[in-house]
Amino acid sequence: MDDYEETRPLLVNDELTDENRSEQDSYLDKVKNGKLYMATFAAVLGPLSFGFVLGYSSPAIPELRKIQDPRLQLSKDEASWFGSVVTLGAALGGLLGGWIVERIGRKLSLMFCAVPFICGFTVIIAAQNHWMLYVGRVLTGLASGVTSLVVPLYISETAHERVRGTMGSCVQLMVVTGIMGAYVTGLFLDWQWLAITCSIPPTLMLVCMCFMPETPRFLLCQGKRREAEEALRFLRGPDAPAEWECARIEEAYKNEEQSFSLADLKDPGVFKPLGIGIMMMLFQQMTGINAIMFYAETIFEQAHFESSDVATVIVAATQVVFTAIAAIIMDKAGRKVLLILSGVTMCVSEAVFGVYFKLTVQHNNSSLTSVLTDAQGSLAEQPPTDLAWLAVGSMGLFIAGFALGWGPTPWLVMSEIFPTRVRGLGSALCVLTNWTCAFIVTKTFQNLVDAITSAGTFWMFSGMCALNVIFTAIFVPETKGKTLEEIQACFKGTRQH
């Protein structure tokens, strides 16, 4: 605690005066964003690859269930593992990413990601048995976990505060674009050619990142000031005085402890962002996004859509559109406003979803299995077909709400709130939490529906969305328009959030 008290006066001095703010605005007015956009595009090819991994199983599993080769044909349980084992690989990738990002840097970590992506899809293409399919999925999951940690960090450390929200939101935008890309491509290609297509984005990322700089903050942490200034000149353009921003970052870094120890967990600048980051990842998965996507095909069948494949593309396109809207308005509306709006929207839509299942599923002990079995003609024994609009409407509202806030924003906030010395560790714990919860929710969803019915399950998710609204209002800081150093100073106690 003494260390904390000693650093407090320094942090007070870090608060920007009006004069400093004017100087900062003058600097940003000279910035040219063209090459920053290039660097961001190269980096978000990683999340695009990650989206193709998530979307791959949807068109591939039906083919692998019916394939003639008995060595590759998947049973229902095997297909479930083929879809969900990615989350286990991603959880492991989150831990691995937290280690390598501090050892070899953000840029090389991104280039490293491409290897398991490409190798994983190659193993799937060449698969001779079930285990090769699983190994391929684990490898692509591992790469996805590393990517979901490294890319937000790379973008937050290269982008300036005027565009950091928009650039950071492009991570989730490219994930959902990749999912939609896999769905659309799956309409025309078989599972092997689809895997070949999925390996194209990581290959492009590997090539493009060769021409992009390391982040200035990481270079300064390594004592490479000259390289950091060169990186800033590349990212900010020739007119902006890179030395000024470099000096500002360097000064903030000098006022910070250089290495992490367990004693740092007493520092509010560490335990506050760590708690907020982990809880945001937990709440993101507890919104029930995976449950909604699980039911999507059945709901569209009930609404008399002739092709459920096309319906999944419509769902993915909805995600892309509203995630793009979130990216555009993120730096204008702010993170908290979008999180609260998103939470309220999901809370209402899932409550309505629960009402839909209560009205249509008449079995007192109905299970998801019976629902899906009956879905060939109806969702339950004789549900009122005129309620199909209620299901489609509430699902569309939920997906739009999720994409506006709780889809992209937790990843963005995770990349903004941690001090430099714990950025790798803190981000790793957040990613581990996210993917572990995703696996648990996916694998236990059937049991949950059996225990408390479909209606009860969605009402529970609605309640979790209400809790995330309260959590956001009380604990999540607004990071719009602030430098990373200002955000960290807030957690130190120099400003209330």
Side-chain angles (χ1 to χ4, degrees):
M1 295 299 292
D2 292 336
D3 290 340
Y4 164 60
E5 291 298 329
E6 287 175 12
T7 58
R8 192 179 180 94
L10 291 172
L11 289 163
V12 171
N13 291 333
D14 283 342
E15 294 292 326
L16 292 178
T17 63
D18 291 340
E19 182 180 352
N20 288 338
R21 175 63 69 185
S22 176
E23 184 179 10
Q24 185 172 316
D25 288 340
S26 176
Y27 169 78
L28 292 174
D29 288 340
K30 299 174 184 176
V31 167
K32 300 289 188 296
N33 291 323
K35 289 187 177 178
L36 171 62
Y37 296 155
M38 287 171 52
T40 300
F41 173 77
V44 296
L45 287 171
L48 182 66
S49 308
F50 165 23
F52 270 100
V53 170
L54 293 181
Y56 177 77
S57 60
S58 182
I61 284 177
E63 288 190 56
L64 291 170
R65 289 291 306 276
K66 297 181 291 187
I67 197 170
Q68 296 300 312
D69 189 342
R71 298 174 302 169
L72 296 176
Q73 191 177 68
L74 299 178
S75 67
K76 181 181 178 181
D77 288 340
E78 288 165 343
S80 173
W81 278 106
F82 182 78
S84 62
V85 75
V86 165
T87 59
L88 295 180
L92 179 61
L95 291 178
L96 177 63
W99 182 78
I100 66 168
V101 79
E102 299 295 353
R103 297 299 184 277
I104 65 175
R106 284 55 164 156
K107 173 182 174 177
L108 289 179
S109 295
L110 272 177
M111 296 174 72
F112 164 81
C113 287
V115 177
F117 269 130
I118 297 168
C119 290
F121 281 118
T122 301
V123 171
I124 290 173
I125 294 164
Q128 300 297 311
N129 53 54
H130 294 163
W131 285 106
M132 289 185 72
L133 292 174
Y134 295 151
V135 168
R137 291 290 281 172
V138 169
L139 283 174
T140 55
L142 181 76
S144 299
V146 178
T147 299
S148 61
L149 182 147
V150 179
V151 175
L153 291 188
Y154 183 85
I155 292 174
S156 72
E157 292 186 359
T158 53
H160 55 82
E161 52 269 30
R162 284 187 180 176
V163 298
R164 194 178 61 240
T166 297
M167 297 295 98
S169 298
C170 287
V171 173
Q172 182 69 10
L173 176 60
M174 294 304 278
V175 170
V176 295
T177 300
I179 292 172
M180 186 178 71
Y183 289 169
V184 172
T185 309
L187 295 176
F188 307 101
L189 301 178
D190 67 20
W191 63 278
Q192 287 179 309
W193 278 103
L194 178 59
I196 293 172
T197 304
C198 290
S199 65
I200 294 174
T203 305
L204 289 176
M205 179 182 69
L206 179 61
V207 174
C208 291
M209 284 305 300
C210 292
F211 304 99
M212 298 301 129
E214 179 57 88
T215 71
R217 283 174 173 81
F218 179 78
L219 291 170
L220 286 172
C221 289
Q222 301 299 305
K224 299 178 179 179
R225 183 185 171 96
R226 183 177 61 82
E227 291 89 340
E229 287 186 5
E230 289 176 358
L232 281 170
R233 287 192 191 96
F234 178 91
L235 294 165
R236 304 291 185 256
D239 299 331
E243 298 81 1
W244 181 86
E245 184 175 358
C246 193
R248 187 189 69 181
I249 298 170
E250 197 171 39
E251 184 62 29
Y253 180 68
K254 285 178 180 177
N255 292 334
E256 187 181 307
E257 292 290 332
Q258 303 299 301
S259 60
F260 173 74
S261 65
L262 288 177
D264 288 331
L265 291 176
K266 299 178 182 178
D267 182 351
V270 174
F271 72 75
K272 285 183 180 179
L274 187 60
I276 288 170
I278 289 174
M279 289 303 296
M280 287 187 75
M281 292 302 178
L282 177 67
F283 276 124
Q284 185 194 56
Q285 289 302 319
M286 291 306 294
T287 60
I289 179 63
N290 288 316
I292 293 284
M293 300 307 289
F294 191 92
Y295 267 113
E297 183 175 331
T298 304
I299 291 164
F300 276 110
E301 286 178 359
Q302 172 60 21
H304 308 299
F305 275 77
E306 293 183 1
S307 173
S308 59
D309 291 339
V310 175
T312 57
V313 173
I314 293 173
V315 171
T318 303
Q319 284 189 297
V320 171
V321 169
F322 282 93
T323 305
I325 292 172
I328 293 169
I329 66 176
M330 186 68 71
D331 282 312
K332 296 179 178 66
R335 283 61 155 165
K336 286 190 76 163
V337 171
L338 290 180
L339 284 172
I340 291 172
L341 176 63
S342 172
V344 171
T345 302
M346 291 188 296
C347 178
V348 172
S349 61
E350 289 192 295
V352 174
F353 222 175
V355 171
Y356 169 78
F357 279 112
K358 185 70 174 177
L359 293 176
T360 57
V361 181
Q362 301 299 325
H363 311 292
N364 290 331
N365 59 347
S366 62
S367 69
L368 181 60
T369 304
S370 64
V371 171
L372 293 177
T373 300
D374 292 339
Q376 300 303 319
S378 61
L379 259 176
E381 286 187 337
Q382 287 297 327
T385 55
D386 58 347
L387 285 180
W389 65 268
L390 188 64
V392 174
S394 60
M395 183 177 69
L397 187 64
F398 174 86
I399 291 170
F402 181 82
L404 274 176
W406 278 92
T409 310
W411 297 106
L412 172 61
V413 172
M414 177 197 78
S415 70
E416 296 177 319
I417 59 179
F418 291 113
T420 305
R421 70 184 187 278
V422 296
R423 197 163 285 158
L425 174 64
S427 299
L429 291 175
C430 288
V431 173
L432 177 65
T433 300
N434 187 283
W435 287 108
T436 302
C437 289
F439 177 77
I440 292 172
V441 169
T442 302
K443 294 304 288 184
T444 62
F445 182 58
Q446 168 66 70
N447 296 332
L448 194 60
V449 172
D450 287 342
I452 61 175
T453 75
S454 300
T457 300
F458 282 99
W459 286 334
M460 184 196 75
F461 286 139
S462 177
M464 293 301 297
C465 290
L467 287 179
N468 74 38
V469 171
I470 297 170
F471 174 81
T472 301
I474 297 174
F475 295 107
V476 178
E478 180 54 74
T479 59
K480 178 186 72 171
K482 296 179 182 177
T483 67
L484 298 184
E485 290 71 34
E486 286 181 278
I487 295 167
Q488 292 151 25
C490 289
F491 285 114
K492 285 284 190 177
T494 59
R495 184 188 300 168
Q496 295 296 317
H497 59 269

